[in-house]
Amino acid sequence: MPAEAPSRPPQKIAILTEPLKEKICALFPRYPSKRAVTLPALHMVHEHLRCVPIQAMAEIAELLEISPAEVHDTMSFYGFFPQAPIGDVRVWVCRSISCMLRGGDELLEHACKRLSIHPGETTPDGKITVEFAECLGICDHAPAALADDGRVYGPLDEAGVDAMLDELKKGRKDEAPHI
């Protein structure tokens, strides 16, 4: 009877591509320490994957020679980095005091009802993720919303939310139009 080969632990497949790792490492000379690259690295990974999974946090930590917990601390502080993939376009509806007093909560509810999702969810076609924001810093547009490609919407009413959603369904502002 032949001896069985010893089993190997399963190998994890790297999430960060070599070009992405090189882009992150290229930032090192611009910052006082590798740790200071944590936030830019999270943005790069998020831009590339549309999320920052746990494995990516570990890989960032390895590149920056810090612990995965330190990467997670930065990631959770800002709240812009979901661990699961989000829609092609992510939009935040503001619920700060200025927006709340002008109907921001009702407009968030209207947007979610129109898309048949709840706040924090993505439409079944993967096009739009709707979330609330505590403050977008654009109170002069209250009630306002901000898409993650930089588009600002406001002051909004239900018709404005409908128009915003129609525009967002077409895709990101920075994408070339599909012909």
Side-chain angles (χ1 to χ4, degrees), residues 15-93:
I15 290 181
L16 303 186
T17 62
E18 285 304 318
L20 183 55
K21 288 179 185 177
E22 290 171 11
K23 256 177 95 174
I24 292 169
C25 291
L27 294 175
F28 293 166
R30 296 175 52 193
Y31 289 87
S33 68
K34 287 184 178 180
R35 178 187 314 273
V37 178
T38 306
L39 189 57
L42 286 168
H43 279 291
M44 286 178 166
V45 171
H46 179 261
E47 184 179 312
H48 183 71
L49 300 173
R50 302 289 297 149
C51 64
V52 183
I54 290 174
Q55 177 64 27
M57 281 190 276
E59 293 178 31
I60 291 169
E62 187 177 327
L63 283 174
L64 304 182
E65 299 174 349
I66 59 177
S67 74
E70 291 173 282
V71 175
H72 184 267
D73 283 350
T74 301
M75 189 171 135
S76 61
F77 178 80
Y78 290 100
F80 288 112
F81 307 107
Q83 291 186 347
I86 57 174
D88 296 339
V89 179
R90 184 181 189 188
V91 64
W92 293 276
V93 178

Side-chain angles (χ1 to χ4, degrees), residues 56-131:
M57 281 190 276
E59 293 178 31
I60 291 169
E62 187 177 327
L63 283 174
L64 304 182
E65 299 174 349
I66 59 177
S67 74
E70 291 173 282
V71 175
H72 184 267
D73 283 350
T74 301
M75 189 171 135
S76 61
F77 178 80
Y78 290 100
F80 288 112
F81 307 107
Q83 291 186 347
I86 57 174
D88 296 339
V89 179
R90 184 181 189 188
V91 64
W92 293 276
V93 178
C94 189
R95 67 177 196 183
S96 69
I97 189 73
S98 301
C99 290
M100 186 265 302
L101 290 173
R102 300 197 67 202
D105 289 339
E106 291 79 10
L107 294 175
L108 173 63
E109 184 179 320
H110 175 75
C112 289
K113 185 176 179 182
R114 178 149 179 250
L115 297 172
S116 301
I117 61 174
H118 294 96
E121 292 183 347
T122 301
T123 55
D125 62 4
K127 289 188 179 237
I128 302 173
T129 298
V130 177
E131 298 179 3

